[in-house]
Amino acid sequence: MRLTLFAPILFLLFMLFFSPSSGAAIGEATAFEFRSLSLKGLKDDPRPTATRRMSWAVRTRTSVETILEPSRVTLSERSLFEQPFLYLAGDRAFPMPNEEEIERLSRFLRFGGFLLIDDASEGDDGFDRSVRALLARALPDSALAPIPRDHVLYRSFYLVGRPVGRVEGPPHLEGIEYAGRLAVVYSRHDLGGAWARDNLGNYHFAVVPGGERQREMAYRLGVNLVIYALSLDYKDDQVHAPFIMRRRGGGR
Amino acid sequence: MQERFGGIVFDGALGWLGAALALAAVAGLIVYEERRLRSERPDRRRILLGLRVLSGAVVFAIAAQPAFVTERFQKIESRSVVLIDESRSMSIASERGTRAEEARALIERLAETESLELRAFGNETRLIDREGLRSLGTASATKMIAALEELAEDDSIGSVILISDGLETEEESIPRSLDRFPIHTVRVGGELPPLDVGIDSIRYDPIVYLRERPRVSVTLHCTGRCAQPVEVRFSIEGNTVDGALVDFGGEELKTVEFSMDPRKLGRHIGRIAVQPPPGDSVRENDARSFLFRVERERLRVLLVAGAPSWDVRFLRELLERNPALDLVSFFILRTVDDLTMADNEEMALIPFPTDELFREHLGSFDLVIFQNFDYGPYRMAIYLPRIRDYVERGGAFLMIGGEKSFSAGGYAGTAVENILPTSLPPPPGIDARPFSPVPLMPRHPLVALGESPEQVRRRFQELAPLAGANELGALRPGARALLGHPQLRVGGEPAPILAAHDVGEGRVVAFASDSSFRWGITTAGERGDLSVFERFWDLTLRYMVRDKALEPSRLSTDHERVAEGGELLVIGEFRDEEYEPLAFRTVELSVEDEAGRALLQQELTLTREGRMRHPIKAPERGGVHQLIVRDGPKELARTAFYVEGGGEEFRRVRPDGQWLRAIADMSGGVYFSHPDELRSLGSLSRIEERKIGDERSSPFRQTGFIFLALVIFVVELAVRRVFGRT
């Protein structure tokens, strides 16, 4: 009971202690926003606190300035193009957006935007089918393909091996490459499920097969995804190669 | 007069062809007759066949009408031409004044007793009279072989007397075709070489690249006694960049190498100058200039970002895509305050190599970009003066805004503030209100998104607003604000958002926002046009590294090299510092030689667009020349061009008797190593037969032959009747 009483106070102190000391943008407008995409007919985030948690993780772990209360946006909103990052999570099938919305999604991706899709469904492939149908219409000349394990995405900040989320899932992420960069990354690991946490610091879901290491690796993958979206193949620059080779060789 | 047999011609129908046909017909007739007479007694057969051969010969003579040609000749003395070298090397001092004066004295002496046909050669061959001998020693090349080949085409010339120092500048071998007539050669220039130290040759790359250290190889000659070392200097645009002391040590040729460190793009003039020893006889070869062009192989850019952000991401992506650019980028991914929750070995982070970048390799970059980067946490304060020095020496520096830039990055009061185009207000100096910047110099290439100022202002209004701005202070003297804030004011003027100025040899641009990416994806999402973001940064980069196309005034010529006296088209576009065209402005165009002497000065009126296209005649003297356009006392632009020729003329000074002897030997002429050896042209004269006509005799047209032919026919007819043959 006492713990319950003091937990919010401890949290506030924690927030105060780790208040942003490495501001990186003029105001909130240019800070990174882990913004969710709302699609008609798709229930809003199955893991509603996940984006907030990941925003916090990115802010505290990296130099990237983030918006701590990320918003939601629809494909038809004018502000769609103000933030080049979108997070689409779901656990069930959804109806296709209309032509105009699909065209706006297509432009978002072609003009430099990044879409992270997170499949949170359990034993239902409806969301997966809808996602593939949507992408086939938004980027008809490109197709989802497994992202190889040596992709820069796995070393954009942390050295990450197998992708994991709340569930272990498939051994790879999928993605669509457009103009030499990943415009879409599709995870079937329920990343948001591993990130989601209440205001008292309790995780909403247990990770499967389990262990805090798996949850931590899901966080690290999330950080890598954000850093990749903001720096693309920066870690492929020649200057980084010897350091990373040495660390990879060390069995990490 | 003499005669000799000149051959046979056939005057009958069809000439030689008719004669051949007639001969064939006659031969056929005789063969036919011989077969018919095989049954006759041998004595009769011989008589009849003999008469038939005789008749056949008569028939052939009548049909073919052979005629005999006799050629008539007259023996006369051949035409001789005196060919005199008028090149500049003939002005070198010799035993008797100059080589040209030696040649003149010889001509005057020969002319006392003989009539001379004189021609001079240098760049070209021309007829001269004795008055023309005064111009010897002025031509910028010695095209000796070309002159002899030209004379060889004239069949009427029987011999040539060549007077020269033998210093051919164009050819390296003597063609065998020069054996048509004897060429007698007379060497001028004395026996002993004069004391001379000069430049024999310069080897250099006409195109060099920034950051390379190309070498210039200079071969010097010393004729005579060169006891003391000689000082040689290499300068570019008048600034000495290298030097050497050359000790010949008894050798005639010595090669020395210089290096240069080209820092500015465009055409440049290099100059090698020798400090001549006392008594040096030829001053003209003591210095030589050459033209070279500095180009950029790939633009090297260092991008340092204080944190990953959308602005960083889109700019780096744009730079990475540019094939003409070599990008080295460093992003600060983690600050000391961040809790990564992992060991270093589990992270792909590397140390920020400040010393390596800002001490060792800074000079290797054409452009350094600080994008939302604060130097404080990385102990970089000691490197900031190096960045200032780097700019003053010709580097380019771009600071892009953010909460770690300008005042917020702690740059106020540092060496970097001193090179920024504006002062910095006290920190934090941040205004987070969205805004659309206002073009303050709409014709400036960095912001010229449209044809007219109105169009440019409209285009900026159509762009997605920027998210916020760093506050910049007042402009420094000479700096220009290109974009301004619509609300913020500095000294009553719009606060600068984009400002630029030159510092020393370098250039600095400040862009006080961290959301230019909105001119890309955000504007494109709304309007479908992604180009503004790319165009803006492409132009900024080109402007920073001084792309000639973006300078206010440009001057060039249609050729970098031109022949002496050749035509050169001058092309220019001139704008003031606000990039407004100097419409209908009268400017002065001048051409200056290496010594700064004005060879041409013309006043010209520019077009409405401030443009100029004007043909000029290149100077008659070879070497590097400057083309300068001035508006009153103010120089608007200058460029250099090279006039071919002249440079080789004093490369060697020792007379080349071997060359002249080889010409004489090959053509059957006589070589004279000194003008005094040639006493008169009489000893060289050649008697030649000149054909004065032909005479033709046609004996088979004469009456006697006709009578003889009739007799032969009648006799053959009578004999055949006697022998019972028809």
Side-chain angles (χ1 to χ4, degrees), chain A residues 21 24-25 63 157-158 235 247, chain B residues 313 332 337 340 348-349 372 403:
Chain A
S21 57
S63 61
F157 191 84
Y158 292 107
K235 279 291 172 185
R247 289 172 194 170
Chain B
R313 133 84 198 271
I332 304 299
D337 298 331
T340 57
L349 306 185
N372 190 30
E403 289 193 353

Side-chain angles (χ1 to χ4, degrees), chain A residues 121-191:
Chain A
S121 58
E122 283 187 277
D124 176 8
D125 62 355
F127 181 75
D128 181 63
R129 282 201 310 275
S130 297
V131 163
R132 292 178 192 279
L134 174 65
L135 294 176
R137 292 185 61 186
L139 293 174
D141 297 329
S142 311
L144 276 170
I147 300 171
R149 293 286 284 277
D150 60 353
H151 195 277
V152 69
L153 173 65
Y154 295 110
R155 52 191 150 82
S156 59
F157 191 84
Y158 292 107
L159 298 176
V160 173
R162 187 190 194 287
V164 288
R166 184 187 59 78
V167 296
E168 193 171 34
H172 57 259
L173 296 168
E174 290 179 87
I176 294 179
E177 199 163 284
Y178 184 86
R181 63 183 167 83
L182 283 173
V184 178
V185 172
Y186 179 29
S187 163
R188 304 197 67 193
H189 306 84
D190 190 9
L191 293 172

Side-chain angles (χ1 to χ4, degrees), chain B residues 54-87:
Chain B
L54 204 57
S55 298
V58 169
V59 168
F60 172 75
I62 293 169
Q65 287 295 315
F68 303 101
V69 178
T70 302
E71 293 177 338
R72 292 181 175 175
F73 291 93
Q74 197 171 25
K75 283 197 170 180
I76 56 169
E77 198 173 324
S78 69
R79 177 180 160 213
S80 295
V81 170
V82 179
L83 187 61
I84 311 155
D85 187 346
E86 63 168 345
S87 70

Side-chain angles (χ1 to χ4, degrees), chain A residues 15-31:
Chain A
M15 290 286 286
L16 192 65
F17 181 75
F18 284 109
S19 61
S21 57
S22 54
I26 299 177
E28 294 243 304
T30 52

Side-chain angles (χ1 to χ4, degrees), chain B residues 212-227:
Chain B
E212 288 184 347
R213 290 191 67 85
R215 304 190 74 77
V216 177
S217 177
V218 181
T219 299
L220 305 166
H221 68 247
C222 167
T223 56
R225 292 172 60 83
C226 296

